[in-house]
């Protein structure tokens, strides 16, 4: 029953917050005060509904009465805050009060879920800060000389930051604050407000160039002290706040451009000066590349966001505690994981709504000092929110700042509440200004004079531009987060570093893996006592491709783990299962694999070691992926120790991870390079005497053959070693390496399964022996059977390699399709003319060359055989074959390697059996 409440509550909270967020912006469309008050009251109702819903779930999960007590005192605080502001300051902005309370409410919910003790501390600080800040609007209204204290603001700000440099403690690589009587103080949070008042008062005093230079120098000194403290997040906030205020005050974009230039140079300098900055940048680029050195935080954050999805896991159903400092810097990720991305995006919009209200009052005020204060505080607030959310979502590098009003942190909470109170004071000042303007108008009219000059609408063009820039930034960030959820989240969820995905098994029976005809390749058997056993009906046959789910995971069991542990059963059925405390059935993964072809390849290989890959070149579907020796995944626990010490490396998927000399199959690639350098090969001719000697190295044709006079086509068909050595000596090694790169050597391969990169070892300094050996497929070049299949697919498909895939579709357990993969182009590896010419040469291999066993069948074939020497024992060569069928409109591509074969014919014989079975 609790699970049902948790499941329903998350959807309810999403709906309620969505409605609240809608009211934040729709209220601007109404000028009727009664209608606006009604909408604001509805916001309060929605907030309290979210609040009680969340704490009800927490109480049911924890069954601790202190949760209810904590809920009650929060309700008292929120009601008191709203009531006091409404009654003491009727001219204040009710929407700003509502948003402040809503963000505090969300923060209290997630903090209580993460760390009850910290949530209580946050409450105490919030209550005290609200009590103190209630006096701030009076101060703003009554103290008319706030704009005259420029020097005091400058001294107070610089002195506070300097104290941190001297006595501050180091936290996460930066000096952020110090402790007094057990209370942690972070001066930079309050200095942000003091700094805004300093700049506003300075610009109110004078906008002459001399004063701008002095103000800029003092602002730079603030930033410099923060940089020395390594508090780069606060430094960046103050820098951006100053640029925004400078632009609006002077109307000169040139100043901003100069500031941005200087800031860019300083950022590069910070990258090279500070190790923790470099670490954060590297983590932003690729968190997995530096997972154990700075990337852990960002990776865990993205795991949480991706796992939570649009609707969240539900309170206490995720693992936000795995995110470092989840209650501070990464609280947005914790919210996303358990309350969902829709909920989190609504929080972003509420922050934007607060900013709009800050800038709204700035544009309505007439007094330049107050206008600049509102602008500065608004910029400070919104940019800090941007840095926090952007950092935890990998939109920008992490800067280590908190999410205002939501994250745990006394100094941050106090400064933000004071900031909001100042804005409320400015709303009251605005009303006073309007009343004063109206009074003066009436006095002048009574005196029969015209309207007083200087009381018109203030200039707001620059304010509007600044607003548009920040709103655009947030829209871009929201777009990026949505893009991540739709296209990139699965990549992070499937990461072997992500422990969250296995928690799904507590609520879902792992789904089936099927071949393309519906044959079951893996399934979960559930006994009467609820014990689950993973079964693999085909035993060893799909061991490497389908993989296993015990002792870690491999193959498709790993790659599609998220899908197998996700249930898209009908909603009512899932609800019924929750009532009966039963697990839901996981989705099924329908693969592109063909069990009949796989079985044919398996039997054709016999006891030999090696691999077979069969693909559809026109779609990229992988029909067969076989590796031998193999193992029985049904007996993995019993055989685990043996398999990890097995000299035959039975756990290795030789299809994708095996590294072999390509033998004569590489002659297809050498041929392509020769064609490119010589505008074709129609005039090529060579007299094969059975051996070739160059600089003391002699190479013979296979089996002692002497081919005599051969054309280019004959050289490929007969696999003439000496001819290809001659070709290799004539090639430009730089261009050859470039061609190999275009054919994905030393490059990332499109593969969902782990693979080894192929290696092309020649360069411009290669010896004659190296050139000859590489050209004929020996030497140091290494390649996997899978890679050779990809090259052959491009030849078969007019030069275009389709993106290979193993998963055709995802269905729920009843067979209803949930997701479908469609063919898509990956890359053009060669021109259509080049592919057609190579296909013609490979046809000759079957018609009169080394693969005549495939001639005269019901299907046409083209291919290339190969023998790769790996030992001085000539009886132990690897046998290769790559090829395609139905030459005019290729249907299948195959790549076969047999280790330690006793002749060149074995691999092509395996290919023939597979082709025969298919046709």
């Amino acid at each position: 029953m609790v699970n049902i409440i948790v499941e329903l509550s998350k959807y309810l909270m999403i709906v309620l917050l969505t409605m609240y967020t809608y009211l934040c912006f729709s209220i601007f469309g109404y000028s009727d005060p009664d209608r606006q008050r009604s909408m604001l009251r509805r916001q309060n109702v929605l907030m309290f509904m979210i609040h009680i819903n969340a704490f009800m779930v927490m109480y049911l999960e924890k069954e601790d009465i202190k949760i209810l007590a904590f809920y009650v005192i929060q309700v008292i605080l929120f009601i008191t805050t709203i009531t006091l502001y409404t009654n003491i300051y009727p001219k204040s902005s009710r929407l700003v009060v509502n948003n402040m309370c809503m963000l505090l409410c969300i923060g209290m919910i997630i903090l209580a879920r993460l760390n009850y003790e910290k949530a209580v501390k946050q409450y105490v600080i919030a209550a005290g800060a609200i009590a103190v800040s209630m006096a701030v609007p009076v101060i703003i209204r009554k103290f008319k000389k706030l704009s005259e204290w420029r020097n005091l603001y400058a001294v107070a700000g610089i002195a506070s930051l300097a104290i941190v440099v001297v006595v501050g403690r180091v936290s996460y690589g930066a000096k952020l604050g110090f402790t007094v009587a057990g209370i942690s103080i972070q001066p930079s949070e309050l200095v942000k407000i003091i700094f805004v008042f300093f700049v506003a008062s300075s610009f109110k005093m004078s906008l002459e160039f001399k004063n701008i230079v002095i103000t800029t120098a003092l602002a730079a000194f603030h930033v410099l002290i923060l940089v020395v403290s390594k508090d780069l997040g606060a430094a960046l906030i103050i820098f951006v706040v100053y640029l925004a205020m400078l632009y609006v005050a002077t109307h000169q974009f040139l100043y901003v451009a100069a500031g941005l230039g200087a800031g860019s140079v300083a950022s590069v300098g910070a990258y090279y000066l500070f190790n923790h900055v470099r670490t954060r940048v590297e983590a932003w680029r690729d968190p997995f590349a530096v997972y154990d050195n700075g990337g852990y935080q960002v990776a865990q954050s993205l795991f949480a966001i991706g796992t939570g999805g649009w609707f969240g896991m539900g309170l206490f159903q995720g693992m936000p505690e795995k995110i470092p400092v989840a209650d501070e810097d990464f609280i947005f990720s914790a919210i996303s994981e358990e309350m969902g991305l829709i909920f989190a995006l609504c929080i972003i919009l509420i922050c934007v709504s607060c900013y709009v209200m800050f800038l709204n009052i700035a544009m309505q005020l007439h007094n330049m000092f107050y206008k600049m204060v509102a602008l500065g505080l608004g910029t400070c607030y919104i940019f800090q929110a941007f840095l926090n959310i952007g950092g935890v979502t990998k939109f920008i590098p992490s800067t280590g700042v908190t999410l205002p009003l939501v994250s745990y942190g006394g100094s941050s909470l106090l400064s933000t509440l004071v900031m909001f109170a100042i804005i409320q004071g400015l709303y009251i000042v605005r009303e006073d200004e309007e009343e004063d303007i109206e009074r003066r108008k009436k006095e002048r009219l009574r005196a029969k004079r015209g309207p007083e000059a200087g009381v018109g609408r203030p200039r707001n063009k620059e304010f509007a531009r600044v607003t548009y820039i920040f709103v655009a930034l947030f829209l871009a960030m929201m777009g990026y987060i949505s893009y991540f959820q739709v296209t990139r989240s699965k990549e992070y969820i499937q990461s072997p570093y992500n422990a969250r995905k296995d928690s799904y098994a507590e609520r879902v029976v792992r789904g089936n893996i099927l071949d393309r005809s519906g044959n079951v390749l893996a399934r979960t058997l559930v006994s009467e006592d609820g014990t689950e056993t993973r079964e693999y009906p085909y035993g060893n046959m799909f061991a490497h491709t389908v993989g296993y789910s015990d002792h870690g995971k491999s193959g498709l069991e790993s790659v599609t783990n998220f899908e197998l542990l996700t249930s898209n059963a009908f909603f009512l059925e899932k609800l019924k299962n929750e009532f009966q405390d039963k697990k839901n059935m996981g989705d099924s993964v329908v693969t592109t694999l063909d069990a009949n072809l796989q079985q044919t390849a398996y039997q054709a290989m016999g006891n030999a070691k090696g691999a077979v890959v069969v693909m559809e070149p026109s779609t990229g579907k992988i029909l067969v992926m076989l590796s031998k020796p193999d193992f029985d995944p049904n007996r993995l626990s019993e055989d685990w120790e043996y398999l990890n010490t097995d000299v035959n490396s039975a756990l290795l998927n030789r299809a994708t991870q095996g590294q072999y000399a390509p033998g004569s199959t590489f002659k297809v690639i050498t041929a392509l390079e020769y064609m490119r350098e010589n505008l074709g090969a129609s005039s090529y001719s060579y007299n094969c005497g059975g051996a070739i000697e160059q600089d003391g190295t002699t190479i013979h044709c296979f089996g002692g053959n002497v081919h005599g006079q051969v054309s280019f086509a004959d050289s490929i068909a007969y696999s003439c070693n000496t001819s290809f050595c001659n070709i290799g000596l004539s090639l430009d090694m730089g261009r050859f390496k470039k061609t190999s790169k275009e054919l994905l050597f030393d490059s990332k391969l499109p593969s969902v399964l782990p693979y080894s990169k192929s290696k092309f070892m020649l360069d411009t300094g290669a010896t004659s022996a190296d050139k000859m050996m590489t050209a004929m497929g020996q030497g140091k070049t290494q390649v996997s059977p899978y890679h050779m299949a990809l090259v052959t697919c491009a030849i078969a498909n007019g030069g275009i390699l389709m993106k290979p895939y193993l998963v055709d579709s995802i269905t729920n357990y009843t067979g209803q399709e949930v997701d479908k993969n469609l063919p898509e182009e990956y890359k053009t590896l060669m021109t259509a003319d080049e592919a057609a010419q190579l296909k013609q040469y490979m046809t000759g291999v079957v018609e009169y060359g080394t693969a005549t066993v495939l001639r005269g069948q019901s299907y046409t074939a083209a291919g290339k055989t190969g023998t790769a020497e790996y030992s001085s024992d000539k009886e132990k060569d690897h046998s290769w074959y790559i090829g395609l069928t139905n030459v005019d409109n290729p249907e299948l591509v195959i790549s076969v390697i047999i280790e330690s074969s006793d002749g060149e014919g074995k691999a092509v014989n395996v290919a023939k059996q597979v082709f025969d079975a298919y046709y």
Side-chain angles (χ1 to χ4, degrees), residues 280-584:
R280 286 176 174 177
V281 171
E282 292 305 317
W284 169 65
R285 289 175 177 169
D286 184 0
F288 297 125
V290 289
Y291 186 76
D292 295 322
N293 184 30
Y296 180 83
Q297 282 182 309
V298 177
Q300 290 296 329
S301 173
L302 295 174
F303 293 159
I305 295 170
T307 302
W310 293 107
F311 301 103
M313 300 290 291
L315 285 171
F316 289 97
Q317 305 305 305
M319 296 182 180
E321 61 278 356
K322 285 191 171 291
I323 311 169
V325 290
D327 50 9
E328 297 180 28
D329 300 357
F330 286 81
I331 200 165
F332 183 84
S333 309
I335 293 170
S336 299
E337 179 172 7
E338 296 206 329
M339 305 172 92
L341 201 56
I342 294 175
F343 193 96
L345 291 175
C346 285
I347 293 175
I348 295 177
L349 289 173
I350 293 171
C351 292
V352 172
S353 172
C354 290
Y355 174 66
V356 169
M357 292 302 294
F358 281 33
L359 269 290
N360 175 58
I361 187 58
M363 287 188 278
Q364 292 184 44
L365 288 162
H366 291 265
N367 185 297
M368 178 54 71
F369 172 72
Y370 292 135
K371 287 173 74 70
M372 297 302 291
V373 167
L375 169 70
L377 294 181
T379 304
C380 183
Y381 169 78
I382 200 65
F383 191 62
Q384 180 167 337
F386 173 76
L387 289 179
N388 175 270
I389 299 171
V392 303
T393 58
K394 211 173 84 69
F395 185 61
I396 58 174
S398 176
T399 53
V401 299
T402 56
L403 183 58
L405 296 179
V406 182
S407 295
Y408 174 74
S411 298
S412 173
L413 182 59
L414 173 61
S415 67
T416 307
L417 288 172
V418 170
M419 195 181 296
F420 272 69
I422 293 171
I423 293 297
Q424 296 291 21
L426 295 180
Y427 268 94
I428 297 169
V429 168
R430 187 276 310 266
E431 293 291 336
D432 292 346
E433 282 186 343
E434 294 297 327
E435 290 176 2
D436 186 54
I437 291 170
E438 191 62 32
R439 179 183 55 79
R440 282 186 286 164
K441 282 182 179 178
K442 289 179 179 178
E443 288 177 354
R444 293 186 68 80
L445 287 173
R446 280 198 297 268
K448 296 183 179 180
R449 287 179 291 178
E452 184 177 355
V455 296
R457 192 172 185 83
R459 172 171 174 162
N460 289 319
K461 183 170 61 176
E462 287 77 18
F463 284 88
R465 287 173 180 169
V466 171
T467 306
Y468 297 151
I469 288 171
F470 279 106
V471 170
L473 271 179
F474 271 79
L475 290 176
M477 183 169 65
M478 291 175 68
Y480 167 80
I481 296 171
S482 301
Y483 162 79
F484 168 82
Q485 187 58 48
V486 172
T487 65
R488 299 290 307 279
S489 61
K490 189 180 293 185
E491 171 190 339
Y492 282 85
I493 291 169
Q494 298 289 16
S495 168
Y497 295 114
N498 184 15
R500 289 169 174 80
K501 54 188 178 181
D502 289 328
S503 66
Y504 293 3
E506 298 175 6
R507 295 186 292 174
V508 176
V509 176
R510 192 175 187 82
N512 296 337
I513 299 178
L514 312 173
D515 87 334
R516 64 177 184 169
S517 300
N519 296 305
V520 178
L521 308 182
R523 63 187 169 199
T524 299
L525 304 179
V526 184
S527 62
E528 291 184 3
D529 64 357
T531 302
E532 297 179 8
T533 305
R534 196 65 171 167
E535 182 190 52
Y536 301 90
Y538 285 86
N540 302 44
M541 194 181 301
F542 290 94
H544 298 91
T545 309
V546 171
Y548 51 81
S549 60
D550 294 328
H551 295 277
K553 291 177 176 62
S554 71
L556 289 172
E557 289 278 32
S558 173
V559 172
T560 62
N561 189 46
F562 177 74
E563 288 81 1
L564 294 168
L565 290 174
T566 299
S567 177
N568 278 288
F570 186 55
F571 175 76
L572 292 178
E573 181 181 348
K574 291 166 74 173
L575 198 60
K576 176 185 173 184
N577 288 338
E578 292 285 358
F579 271 112
Q580 298 177 348
D581 198 23
K582 288 173 57 178
K583 288 186 176 184
N584 296 307

Side-chain angles (χ1 to χ4, degrees), residues 40-96:
L40 291 166
R41 284 193 293 269
R42 269 185 276 165
Q43 280 192 319
N44 293 146
V45 172
L46 292 168
M47 183 192 80
F48 284 116
M49 289 178 68
I50 292 171
H51 194 225
I52 192 172
N53 188 54
F55 274 87
M56 175 187 66
V57 170
M58 280 191 269
Y59 174 72
L60 291 173
E61 287 285 353
K62 299 300 248 182
E63 296 184 351
D64 191 339
I65 195 67
K66 68 183 181 183
I67 294 289
L68 295 181
F70 188 44
Y71 162 74
V72 171
I73 62 172
Q74 287 179 69
V75 171
I76 293 172
L77 176 63
F78 293 139
I79 291 176
T80 302
T81 301
I82 294 169
T83 303
L84 288 177
Y85 263 110
T86 303
N87 290 280
I88 298 176
Y89 303 117
K91 296 178 182 179
S92 65
S93 169
R94 180 71 178 274
L95 180 57
V96 172

Side-chain angles (χ1 to χ4, degrees), residues 731-765:
L731 297 178
D732 181 310
M733 290 300 107
R735 294 181 62 178
F736 199 4
K737 191 172 185 69
K738 181 174 179 291
T739 293
S740 75
K741 186 82 172 177
E742 291 173 358
L743 296 182
L744 307 181
F745 280 81
D746 301 302
S747 304
K748 180 181 178 180
L749 297 180
S751 174
V752 297
L753 298 183
Y755 65 90
S756 298
K757 278 187 180 181
S758 299
K759 301 171 184 176
F760 180 84
M761 303 300 289
L762 284 186
D763 54 33
T764 53

Side-chain angles (χ1 to χ4, degrees), residues 601-602 604-605 608-615 624 626 654-655 660-663 665 783-789 792 854 864-868 878-883 893-899 901 904-915:
Y602 188 83
M605 288 286 288
K609 300 176 187 177
V612 180
V613 178
V614 180
M615 298 178 62
V624 173
L626 175 70
R654 284 164 161 78
Y660 303 94
T665 60
V783 70
S784 66
Y786 175 67
H787 187 172
M788 291 308 295
T792 312
L854 292 170
K864 184 71 191 78
T865 58
T867 301
H878 296 332
S879 175
W880 274 94
Y881 179 76
I882 57 171
V893 155
I894 195 168
S895 174
V896 182
I897 187 168
I898 298 178
E899 298 179 16
S901 71
E904 194 174 346
K906 277 202 167 181
V908 72
N909 289 337
V910 170
K912 182 178 184 302
Q913 291 183 58
V914 173
F915 292 159

